[in-house]
Amino acid sequence: EVQLLESGGGVVQPGGSLRLSCAASGFTFRNYALTWVRQAPGKGLEWVSAISDTGVNTYYADSVKGRFTISRDNSKNTLYLLIDSLTAEDSAVFYCAKDMTPYTNYGYGGYDVWGRGTRVTVSS
Amino acid sequence: STELTQPPSVSVSPGQTARIICSGEALSKQYTYWYQQKAGQAPVLVIYKDTERPSGIPDRFSGSSSGTTVTLLITGVQAEDEADYYCQSADSRGTYRGVFGGGTRLTV
């Protein structure tokens, strides 16, 4: 079964940092671009960041550029998102999602598998 | 994001047809994808590349595209279709980033 499982969320103080992880199984991880999408409480989906299949190319939303860093370890079938300088506006459920098309170099291709999400709460 | 615009809500009775529109400049050049999100759950892809339906998605879900507008059509709506629906495409600035519409709450 194709699965994505996020972890690493929690409660963090403003200005703090977290590293989110997304463990993949059931597909050839190294062949697919991956994306992080977040959803603030009661709000819609927001595209956050994506990484190409090889990890060479990364993309960020303007709202997170310079504070978030996406990476992947194809030997561990794991995607990461390092989030720094957190503010209350970053409180959200963070989902990782798999691109539906293999061997893509970009981050907008449509996502056919999603994890259940990990919640980040920024509060003092 | 204001790049893809959706109506906040659509309401239909069971058995009727629901039309959810998404508009944006990028849609004339890029494919659109549609996701269904039920309360407390992760999104699910229901339409890809404007008109294609993933395996396992009921055939009452369909998509169409015309210029800068795409439409998700749900014919014979069932109570289980009540959910939020999001369109998604590429950033219109050609930056290889994704963008979501604001979402439409479908009430059955």
Side-chain angles (χ1 to χ4, degrees):
Chain A
E1 182 188 2
V2 178
Q3 274 192 326
L4 297 171
L5 183 62
E6 303 92 339
S7 62
V11 180
V12 60
Q13 291 189 337
S17 301
L18 277 177
R19 190 179 80 159
L20 308 183
S21 299
C22 173
S25 59
F27 64 99
T28 307
F29 183 79
R30 63 180 181 274
N31 290 350
Y32 291 89
L34 296 160
T35 295
W36 287 99
V37 176
R38 70 180 177 181
Q39 186 169 37
K43 302 296 184 181
L45 302 176
E46 180 187 9
W47 189 95
V48 171
S49 181
I51 188 166
S52 61
D53 52 352
T54 61
V56 169
N57 297 101
T58 58
Y59 311 92
Y60 298 94
D62 289 341
S63 58
V64 307
K65 199 164 189 177
R67 297 191 301 122
F68 289 15
T69 303
I70 191 171
S71 61
R72 64 191 294 164
D73 187 334
N74 285 350
S75 69
K76 295 183 178 178
N77 288 357
T78 303
L79 171 72
Y80 303 101
L81 186 69
L82 178 63
I83 49 181
D84 285 330
S85 305
L86 284 159
T87 71
E89 285 68 42
D90 294 315
S91 293
V93 174
F94 283 72
Y95 297 99
C96 63
K98 167 190 165 290
D99 201 286
M100 64 182 304
T101 305
Y103 312 119
T104 58
N105 196 35
Y106 48 79
Y108 61 78
Y111 317 116
D112 62 344
V113 180
W114 295 65
R116 292 188 175 184
T118 186
R119 184 176 299 276
V120 172
T121 302
V122 182
S123 174
S124 55
Chain B
S1 167
T2 57
E3 291 202 42
L4 297 181
T5 302
Q6 298 181 237
S9 63
V10 169
S11 182
V12 297
S13 299
Q16 289 187 327
T17 297
R19 288 178 177 80
I20 300 176
I21 293 173
C22 175
S23 60
E25 179 186 334
L27 302 185
S28 62
K29 307 180 190 71
Q30 301 289 348
Y31 285 124
T32 304
Y33 304 83
W34 288 95
Y35 304 89
Q36 175 195 67
Q37 186 182 34
K38 296 183 179 179
Q41 298 183 21
V44 172
L45 180 70
V46 294
I47 294 291
Y48 67 97
K49 293 185 178 180
D50 294 347
T51 61
E52 302 299 313
R53 192 172 54 250
S55 61
I57 301 301
D59 60 6
R60 63 179 181 273
F61 289 85
S62 64
S64 64
S65 176
S66 178
T68 59
T69 300
V70 294
T71 302
L72 173 67
L73 201 68
I74 311 173
T75 56
V77 169
Q78 300 182 7
E80 66 196 50
D81 299 330
E82 185 163 286
D84 294 326
Y85 291 85
Y86 295 89
C87 57
Q88 178 257 314
S89 187
D91 186 310
S92 62
R93 293 168 291 178
T95 60
Y96 295 102
R97 300 182 295 188
V99 62
F100 286 93
T104 299
R105 171 69 55 88
L106 175 65
T107 301
V108 181

